Amino acid sequence: MERLGTAAVAGGDVCMCQTVFPAHSNHRGELSAGQLLKWMDATACLAAEKHAGVSCVTASMDDIQFEEAARVGQIITIKAKVNRAFKTSMEVGIKVTVQDVLTNMEKIVSMAYATYVAKPVGDGKIELEPVKLLSTEDHLEHTLAIERRKIRLGYEQVFQNLMQESNKEGEYCDAFEEEDGVSTDLTHVQSVELVQPPHANHHGNTFGGQIMAWMETVASISASRLCGSYPVLKSVNMFKFWGPSVVGDRLVFNAIVNNTFQNSVEVGVRVEAYNCENWIKDQARHINSAFLIFITVNDKGEQLTFPRIKPTTKDGVRRYHGAIARQRIRLARKCTMSAKEVKPPDPWERSNQAYVSYSNIAALTHLAAKPGWDVTSILDDIKIWTHEEGDVLSFKIEMQVKVPSQRAFLLLSDFTLRQQWDRHFLTCKVLQAVTEDEKIYYVTSPPITGHKPKDFVILVSQRQPSKTSEPYLIAVKSVTLKSMPPSSGYCRSEILCAGFQIYSDSNSSCTVCYFNQVTSGVMPYLAANLTGSSNSIEDTALECIKFLELKGSEC
């Protein structure tokens, strides 16, 4: 078995800089989205090949959001690096920025993730080398790549679940009537492209970015037929390449509007490939389908409203409801994918489960990786650290425990045991076991003099390390459930970001780190500790150590 990789380079970093010329722009003098997609794919593919040492092909692209437009004369910088290598595939992170040469101001255009697969030489098997991690950011992205991979693998199931729910609720029916709706038939566009050598790599496989650029062109024409103006691409939905195309293939692109959402429109594009023989026989190979989201603006830059559409076929109705399901997933992603997001999602539903879990793990991982932690207290096997960033205060409790890390992980991840060592937990029960690694708990805390007792609805996400150098993770954040609304007897409180990282020190000992991004409910305890008037945090940490070592000795 071949083992491939460039050991000297962390993640196969590649940077491309390009001045935007008129040939790259649209009628507004802005960089064409199709051209940008080509550059992004080319840069990311080079990063993948730099790590793998062999040719790579685009397997999939996560959701791509476009935040800023680049104009003629400005400089586009695209940075790509391999975040994590799996057996034969790699996740590549892509960051696009635009710089104005006159003002020197730089803005982020897009941040995306793509998956590339190494092409074996002949019939040989490939096992990629692990990515060499040199910085804190490398470690962070390496850890979160596993979470993003789970989202990719589960995306289709989430979509199908939403479609089934719509069907059960009576939303998804064969008949459809929309007063004054525009027929989707009027938005259908078909285009044919012949794959020539400049469109392909040295193996003759069509560049994924070239296919994406052609898709953007035909989708833009489809959207323009509905809005009667020039649409602007804002995002591309997560998609996969189902099969390759090669030089000499005829690619047929069919685009049609699936649905409109007040200020945006979703256009679906299906790509089929034909070689010469199949072209005559009309035997197509379905190689890709993607969904592109457009907006349109007036001369003042204000977003315009799209007219409602009217599907005229059974397949059109299916696509109409499919667009609604994808919008729910996009909104869930937008609300929860940012590790800085502190607002709990509402409600906890299938469309956002994976994204909330990712956000939970990502928030804890980002908090733990922040530079600038200061030691404020040391007591035997306990250290207390604080971190200030603007108005946000966080603390960390580091505990040395004489118990194996896996045993500590099992004990701490079961929150029904927490009231045995944490006096701030009065009761705790499981509301929902979402998966083996995700549980939602209802927690109550004892009252403080003159105040109501507090309650919480929290998501606990647990992760075991994929290798010995990585920690066990237990991430905690508040969520909302329709079935558990606030009650008059309690003051509903919120956990922004908290949890444990557990590192193995030896076969019989570990380091347990507890993190908490301080909320108003925790502030009095932390303030009392910092001023020396209370030792409640140290006392709770000592009880945690006693609990772990006592229970650990029972196994």
Side-chain angles (χ1 to χ4, degrees):
M1 177 180 289
E2 276 186 278
R3 293 190 66 84
L4 305 172
T6 315
V9 179
D13 295 23
V14 170
C15 180
M16 186 208 80
C17 292
Q18 176 70 56
T19 300
V20 180
F21 292 113
H24 304 139
S25 68
N26 57 25
H27 69 285
R28 289 184 297 269
E30 297 174 350
L31 174 62
S32 161
Q35 180 64 62
L36 179 55
L37 288 169
K38 286 172 66 175
W39 286 344
M40 291 171 67
D41 177 65
T43 308
C45 187
L46 287 173
E49 292 180 345
K50 189 173 184 179
H51 177 77
V54 296
S55 295
C56 297
V57 295
T58 316
S60 67
M61 277 280 194
D62 291 3
D63 295 358
I64 304 172
Q65 309 287 329
F66 297 102
E67 307 297 339
E68 291 285 340
R71 302 191 65 83
V72 170
Q74 293 181 325
I75 298 172
I76 283 286
T77 301
I78 303 175
K79 295 181 180 180
K81 68 174 182 177
V82 177
N83 293 327
R84 189 160 191 148
F86 302 97
K87 287 186 177 180
T88 60
S89 65
M90 295 154 281
E91 180 195 270
V92 180
I94 309 166
K95 181 179 180 180
V96 185
T97 58
V98 59
Q99 181 185 21
D100 191 294
V101 294
L102 300 179
T103 64
N104 206 31
M105 183 178 294
E106 186 176 75
K107 295 181 179 180
I108 294 177
V109 175
S110 182
M111 296 185 69
Y113 298 95
T115 302
Y116 289 82
V117 175
K119 278 186 68 69
V121 179
D123 295 328
K125 293 184 178 180
I126 289 178
E127 184 176 340
L128 295 166
E129 290 282 356
V131 173
K132 189 175 180 66
L133 307 176
L134 300 180
S135 66
T136 301
E137 184 183 355
D138 291 341
H139 283 275
L140 186 63
E141 292 296 340
H142 186 263
T143 299
L144 297 179
I146 284 283
E147 299 301 310
R148 290 187 288 263
R149 189 168 190 252
K150 291 179 181 178
I151 291 175
R152 290 180 203 112
L153 296 176
Y155 179 88
E156 187 60 31
Q157 186 60 54
V158 171
F159 175 76
Q160 293 300 332
N161 289 341
L162 288 174
M163 292 294 283
Q164 290 174 10
E165 288 176 6
S166 296
N167 196 19
K168 290 178 182 177
E169 294 168 4
E171 298 176 7
Y172 185 4
C173 55
D174 294 341
F176 186 94
E177 291 185 4
E178 180 73 45
E179 292 294 331
D180 301 323
V182 178
S183 172
T184 54
D185 294 343
L186 300 176
T187 67
H188 177 245
V189 177
Q190 185 178 87
S191 179
V192 181
E193 298 287 349
L194 175 63
V195 180
Q196 301 188 53
H199 305 140
N201 62 22
H202 56 285
H203 287 292
N205 293 309
T206 315
F207 288 122
Q210 178 63 68
I211 295 175
M212 286 187 278
W214 282 331
M215 293 171 77
E216 189 273 335
T217 298
V218 70
S220 178
I221 296 171
S222 175
S224 68
R225 291 185 174 179
L226 180 69
C227 63
S229 61
Y230 300 103
V232 179
L233 181 65
K234 291 301 292 181
S235 67
V236 182
N237 212 63
M238 184 186 296
F239 67 90
K240 296 179 181 179
F241 286 94
W242 298 105
S245 64
V246 297
V247 172
D249 277 348
R250 284 77 172 162
L251 302 187
V252 178
F253 297 80
N254 281 287
I256 193 169
V257 168
N258 291 332
N259 207 336
T260 57
F261 304 101
Q262 189 68 20
N263 297 118
S264 66
V265 58
E266 180 191 281
V267 180
V269 184
R270 179 183 174 92
V271 187
E272 296 174 329
Y274 300 80
N275 59 27
C276 283
E277 183 179 346
N278 293 337
W279 186 249
I280 297 173
K281 296 179 180 179
D282 196 25
Q283 295 176 342
R285 308 190 316 273
H286 177 210
I287 62 169
N288 181 243
S289 288
F291 305 94
L292 298 85
I293 312 303
F294 293 87
I295 63 169
T296 186
V297 296
N298 59 21
D299 295 337
K300 298 179 181 179
E302 300 168 336
Q303 290 191 27
L304 302 179
T305 301
F306 282 89
R308 299 300 299 165
I309 58 105
K310 179 172 65 177
T312 57
T313 64
K314 183 176 180 179
D315 187 60
V317 173
R318 177 189 61 80
R319 289 186 283 102
Y320 179 94
H321 289 286
I324 295 173
R326 283 184 291 273
Q327 188 202 37
R328 290 174 65 182
I329 296 174
R330 281 193 297 273
L331 292 175
R333 176 190 183 277
K334 187 175 181 180
C335 289
T336 60
M337 282 291 275
S338 170
K340 296 181 181 179
E341 175 68 38
V342 297
K343 187 176 180 180
D346 182 16
W348 176 265
E349 58 177 14
R350 289 183 179 183
S351 62
N352 64 23
Q353 284 179 8
Y355 297 112
V356 175
S357 299
Y358 172 88
S359 173
N360 200 15
I361 295 294
L364 176 62
T365 307
H366 277 281
L367 179 60
K370 286 182 180 294
W373 287 93
D374 297 316
V375 177
T376 58
S377 174
I378 300 178
L379 175 65
D380 297 329
D381 294 329
I382 301 170
K383 287 183 182 179
I384 298 179
W385 309 64
T386 57
H387 183 278
E388 292 185 71
E389 187 176 18
D391 296 330
V392 179
L393 178 65
S394 304
F395 70 88
K396 174 175 75 171
I397 306 171
E398 183 181 302
M399 299 168 277
Q400 305 299 319
V401 185
K402 296 180 177 63
V403 68
S405 55
Q406 185 178 24
R407 182 63 177 161
F409 170 71
L410 292 174
L411 290 168
L412 291 174
S413 59
D414 185 353
F415 270 48
T416 60
L417 301 176
R418 186 151 172 175
Q419 57 258 52
Q420 295 184 32
W421 59 269
D422 189 347
R423 64 184 181 84
H424 303 102
F425 273 53
L426 185 62
T427 65
C428 182
K429 66 177 181 178
V430 177
L431 293 178
Q432 186 176 338
V434 184
T435 66
E436 290 183 1
D437 295 329
E438 319 283 342
K439 289 186 176 66
I440 299 178
Y441 292 87
Y442 177 68
V443 178
T444 62
S445 295
I448 301 175
T449 304
H451 296 83
K452 292 181 180 180
K454 297 178 181 179
D455 66 348
F456 305 82
V457 178
I458 58 174
L459 168 68
V460 177
S461 305
Q462 62 186 58
R463 299 290 187 272
Q464 299 194 42
S466 58
K467 50 187 179 182
T468 54
S469 61
E470 296 177 349
Y472 290 87
L473 294 176
I474 304 169
V476 185
K477 72 179 295 183
S478 289
V479 293
T480 54
L481 284 178
K482 286 182 177 179
S483 59
M484 188 59 67
S487 64
S488 58
Y490 290 90
C491 176
R492 177 61 53 87
S493 298
E494 182 181 358
I495 295 176
L496 303 179
C497 172
F500 298 90
Q501 284 190 340
I502 306 168
Y503 290 87
S504 179
D505 296 330
S506 70
N507 292 333
S508 59
S509 65
C510 65
T511 298
V512 176
C513 296
Y514 174 73
F515 298 86
N516 196 310
Q517 187 176 328
V518 177
T519 59
S520 57
V522 180
M523 186 63 78
Y525 300 103
L526 182 59
N529 262 80
L530 294 177
T531 58
S533 60
S534 170
N535 291 321
S536 63
I537 292 179
E538 288 93 336
D539 293 342
T540 302
L542 285 171
E543 289 300 317
C544 180
I545 294 173
K546 290 178 184 178
F547 166 78
L548 291 174
E549 293 181 347
L550 176 63
K551 293 295 183 180
S553 65
E554 293 177 357
C555 62

